[in-house]
Amino acid sequence: MEDREHLGVYFKKINNAIIQDANAQMKKWDITFSQAELLFYLLKRHDKETTSRDIERRFNLKHPTVVGLLQRMEKKGLVHTETSAADHRRKNIILSEKAYAFGRELQRARQELEERFYRGLTPEQHAQLRELLELVYQSIKQDTIR
């Protein structure tokens, strides 16, 4: 039998490398990988009301973690909160103009990083890798919900 690492080790190594590389690239903008991912999510939902609870569900994070992320982003002038007109108990997270401009820069950096993932792969291998990763994720997601 070959002396190969468990598949989960490869996923962990890849995840760590991506986060480490992204954090190094984003240091010039004084933002972390987690903050960038949250910013991408908020940019995608710019036309919908979004609360901290939505973020908790989407990223599977605890409330204090989300509050901390949002507070740091607010200090950087990327977001602020407003009371919902529909429900005064809810606070909507609103992106600033700075966040929209910043999002364009981050999108370019994200695209460059993603292109590095596929370097050396044919378009068919690229599509196959994406499909296989989605299948693995769906399989694991189903098992962790039970």
Side-chain angles (χ1 to χ4, degrees):
M1 185 170 168
E2 278 186 57
D3 187 24
R4 297 177 98 180
E5 293 196 58
H6 185 272
L7 189 58
V9 173
Y10 287 111
F11 283 116
K12 181 69 173 161
K13 284 181 175 182
I14 292 166
N15 183 61
N16 289 347
I18 290 168
I19 292 172
Q20 185 178 11
D21 185 68
N23 279 332
Q25 282 187 352
M26 292 178 210
K27 193 171 194 168
K28 63 186 169 197
W29 296 311
D30 189 31
I31 193 168
T32 65
F33 179 78
S34 298
Q35 292 168 352
E37 287 302 302
L38 178 52
L39 183 60
F40 285 127
Y41 173 70
L42 293 170
L43 286 165
K44 208 183 285 187
R45 293 179 52 89
H46 71 93
D47 57 342
K48 299 177 178 90
E49 288 191 351
T50 304
T51 67
S52 60
R53 185 75 180 129
D54 297 321
I55 295 166
E56 291 168 30
R57 286 188 200 117
R58 168 64 173 85
F59 292 100
N60 195 27
L61 296 172
K62 302 286 185 211
H63 183 72
T65 303
V66 172
V67 169
L69 269 169
L70 290 171
Q71 286 174 344
R72 287 185 291 282
M73 290 176 73
E74 193 165 6
K75 283 181 185 174
K76 294 174 185 181
L78 298 171
V79 299
H80 67 276
T81 59
E82 292 178 0
T83 303
S84 169
D87 183 347
H88 294 295
R89 297 170 296 177
R90 294 172 43 129
K91 290 197 179 228
N92 294 323
I93 299 148
I94 310 298
L95 290 168
S96 68
E97 287 303 316
K98 179 180 176 181
Y100 285 103
F102 196 53
R104 287 187 288 277
E105 288 184 56
L106 283 175
Q107 185 59 39
R108 280 192 293 277
R110 183 187 219 184
Q111 182 64 36
E112 288 173 16
L113 180 62
E114 189 149 323
E115 286 171 7
R116 286 178 48 207
F117 296 160
Y118 301 117
R119 193 173 27 212
L121 297 180
T122 65
E124 293 80 22
Q125 290 170 325
H126 173 167
Q128 185 179 25
L129 176 60
R130 180 174 287 282
E131 184 179 320
L132 290 170
L133 288 172
E134 287 173 5
L135 285 171
V136 169
Y137 176 70
Q138 290 304 321
S139 176
I140 288 174
K141 189 172 120 177
Q142 283 181 334
D143 288 346
T144 57
I145 291 173
R146 293 179 192 161

